[in-house]
Amino acid sequence: QVTGHLDDCTCDVETIDAFNNYKLFPRLNELLESDYFRYYKVNLKKPCPFWNDNSHCGIRDCAVKPCPSDEVPDGIRSGSYKYSEEASNLAEECEEAKRLGAVDGSLSKETQQAVLRWTRHDDSSDSFCEADDIYSPDAEYVDLLLNPERYTGYKGPDAWKIWNSIYEENCFKPQNVKRPLASGRGESSVSLSGLVVARLFSGVCVEKRAFYKLVSGLHASINIHLSARYLLQDTWSEKKWGPNVTEFQQRFDEVITRGEGPRRLKNLYFLYLIELRALSKVLPFFERPAFQLYTGNKSHDVAMKNLLLEILHLAKSFPLHFDENSFFAGNKKEAAKLKEEFRLHFKNISKIMDCVGCFKCRLWGKLQTQGLGTALKILFSESLIEKIPESGPSYGFQLTRQEIVALFNAFGRL
């Protein structure tokens, strides 16, 4: 089902697959394993700005709040067999999620020295995301290679609440397109068939359609990672992570999702095209001799910058780019209003990431929303990027190290 032409684009699935799998991804993967791109500074202790959620973990390195027995109501701990069974299951799930979702914060001494130098290269402008205060005592560097995005045990009502807030309150869409609101495994009865959704979207402007598809594509991407790196075996001798086909089918199978699954996967391709387009547009910023991927290892830094430029030139060579000129192209006053609405909606979504209860999920959620926000910032700053001088500082357009690391790692996830 996931084949052929993509809506609102001149591109197709097969062209993207061939370009990504054989040309771009092997080079990008090498870049993301380098020191500059593997360390991301993040504040995982920011409180949720939208609701008080005391079910979330208060301990720095756990995924969900552990469940001490004295917090479990008496009626659950004692009483009928059903309740005591539920209580033990709850305690086991909490324990498992705490263990799986722990963030490994260890950094070598050399890396600690290097990251101190990186802060000199950071700036504070950010327009599409609620950026972390990287100078806050709660902001810490995390090694992304030690903390891969995978299944953590974070599920149920809390996880659903996050996505429902994103879709229902922050996403441009027809009012009658609902997200599944239940916390069950499959789809709820309010899901609509792909054909019905397509008909409902036909009256929505291209910008609002695009916004919805970007969020849906991000959701699909995260769900694929959780299904692809699932805990299949957990014994005293070894942990085995790998693809969980059943989990994948629950989210994307055409029959189970009533036609929505293939559409979600196509939205993933749409997101890929948007971020690829941003990489092709930002080349002048990185081409300047003054720009360095500074880690302190001179020869390695030069090699990584060359690899980075190779990737950006490759992105520019893609034959069927998304044409962002269709965005905000109408009446100037209306376009400016819509653009600001677009920006504020996305900023809101970046804030919701501080409500995610699992710290590892929060880490990757924050990184991927900041990466997409940076891509949007690039696409909406084209005139500023064109004016960047070949030498000297770039005053009109800036990217912080945080934004650069997020941009490439988010694209690497896709």
Side-chain angles (χ1 to χ4, degrees):
Q1 291 299 310
V2 186
T3 182
H5 180 72
L6 294 169
D7 294 339
D8 293 325
C9 300
T10 57
C11 196
D12 58 79
V13 165
E14 289 75 13
T15 302
I16 295 173
D17 278 346
F19 173 78
N20 179 71
N21 298 350
Y22 299 111
K23 292 183 177 179
L24 195 137
F25 183 68
R27 292 173 172 90
L28 182 61
N29 220 23
E30 185 185 344
L31 186 77
L32 297 181
E33 288 175 355
S34 70
D35 280 358
Y36 188 91
F37 288 95
R38 68 187 284 184
Y39 298 110
Y40 179 64
K41 197 170 192 184
V42 63
N43 181 357
L44 296 174
K45 294 182 183 177
K46 276 173 93 171
C48 171
F50 298 111
W51 57 79
N52 289 326
D53 208 331
N54 53 14
S55 66
H56 284 190
C57 178
I59 299 171
R60 171 64 185 83
D61 64 350
C62 76
V64 293
K65 186 180 179 183
C67 301
S69 57
D70 59 356
E71 282 189 20
V72 178
D74 288 343
I76 294 176
R77 278 190 291 141
S78 54
S80 71
Y81 169 74
K82 184 187 128 201
Y83 280 123
S84 56
E85 185 183 38
E86 270 182 33
S88 69
N89 285 347
L90 192 64
E92 277 173 33
E93 278 205 6
C94 273
E95 226 13 76
E96 182 203 27
K98 179 179 175 180
R99 183 173 49 79
L100 291 178
V103 173
D104 186 337
S106 58
L107 292 181
S108 69
K109 277 221 166 64
E110 294 79 5
T111 304
Q112 286 173 19
Q113 291 301 314
V115 295
L116 285 173
R117 293 193 291 271
W118 288 339
T119 56
R120 296 192 311 225
H121 296 260
D122 274 358
D123 195 47
S124 59
S125 66
D126 197 356
S127 48
F128 277 82
C129 282
E130 185 69 19
D132 280 345
D133 172 12
I134 58 164
Y135 301 107
S136 157
D138 288 334
E140 295 177 291
Y141 281 97
V142 172
D143 185 337
L144 298 173
L145 299 184
L146 283 182
N147 294 280
E149 186 181 21
R150 62 188 179 192
Y151 175 76
T152 63
Y154 181 58
K155 58 187 177 183
D158 290 340
W160 279 85
K161 188 175 181 180
I162 299 294
W163 284 111
N164 282 320
S165 297
I166 289 170
Y167 281 108
E168 293 304 318
E169 294 166 38
N170 294 287
C171 217
F172 298 111
K173 62 175 180 52
Q175 285 305 304
N176 37 2
V177 175
K178 289 285 181 190
R179 293 301 306 168
L181 295 171
S183 58
R185 291 298 302 265
E187 304 296 300
S188 78
S189 59
V190 297
S191 281
L192 300 162
S193 75
L195 192 64
V196 174
V197 172
R199 212 173 288 141
L200 290 165
F201 265 104
S202 62
V204 176
C205 71
V206 65
E207 294 87 356
K208 293 184 179 182
R209 275 204 309 272
F211 191 97
Y212 179 80
K213 288 198 285 190
L214 291 175
V215 173
S216 171
L218 184 63
H219 193 182
S221 174
I222 289 169
N223 279 336
I224 290 168
H225 302 142
L226 304 189
S227 305
R229 301 184 80 159
Y230 205 88
L231 187 63
L232 300 176
Q233 182 185 328
D234 187 11
T235 63
W236 67 271
S237 58
E238 67 165 337
K239 279 189 182 69
K240 189 180 172 190
W241 303 84
N244 183 328
V245 179
T246 307
E247 197 72 27
F248 181 83
Q249 286 175 319
Q250 291 286 351
R251 292 168 162 90
F252 300 107
D253 179 87
E254 191 185 15
V255 176
I256 295 172
T257 63
R258 300 180 190 183
E260 269 293 281
R263 182 174 294 277
R264 291 170 186 166
L265 292 172
K266 279 199 166 182
N267 290 341
L268 174 71
Y269 282 88
F270 180 77
L271 174 58
Y272 181 96
L273 277 181
I274 291 286
E275 294 199 9
L276 181 70
R277 181 63 164 165
L279 292 186
S280 75
K281 290 281 183 183
V282 80
L283 180 59
F285 176 81
F286 289 105
E287 271 187 322
R288 295 169 304 133
F291 177 82
Q292 296 300 326
L293 295 173
Y294 185 78
T295 69
N297 180 336
K298 201 168 182 180
S299 60
H300 182 72
D301 292 347
V302 170
M304 286 305 109
K305 182 174 178 181
N306 289 339
L307 180 59
L308 173 73
L309 293 179
E310 187 186 341
I311 289 165
L312 296 180
H313 279 288
L314 195 56
K316 203 175 175 85
S317 75
F318 184 71
L320 295 169
H321 270 296
F322 178 79
D323 180 11
E324 75 285 353
N325 292 322
S326 58
F327 281 176
F328 313 111
N331 174 289
K332 278 194 171 178
K333 199 172 178 183
E334 285 298 308
K337 185 182 168 191
L338 182 61
K339 185 174 174 180
E340 181 60 8
E341 212 182 331
F342 198 102
R343 190 181 73 83
L344 292 175
H345 271 270
F346 197 82
K347 202 158 193 170
N348 229 18
I349 288 173
S350 74
K351 288 179 185 176
I352 288 176
M353 292 302 152
D354 286 315
C355 301
V356 175
C358 152
F359 278 148
K360 197 171 279 179
C361 310
R362 186 183 294 200
L363 163 69
W364 285 101
K366 283 166 81 85
L367 181 138
Q368 287 171 88
T369 48
Q370 187 176 21
L372 175 52
T374 304
L376 294 172
K377 172 179 167 175
I378 291 164
L379 290 179
F380 296 142
S381 305
E382 187 174 6
S383 58
L384 293 173
I385 294 170
E386 284 171 354
K387 292 174 188 164
I388 291 176
E390 283 186 23
S391 59
S394 163
Y395 292 115
F397 176 82
Q398 273 296 345
L399 290 178
T400 67
R401 182 181 171 275
Q402 287 298 100
E403 289 173 313
I404 294 166
V405 172
L407 174 69
F408 284 90
N409 273 284
F411 189 58
R413 298 281 77 210
L414 304 180

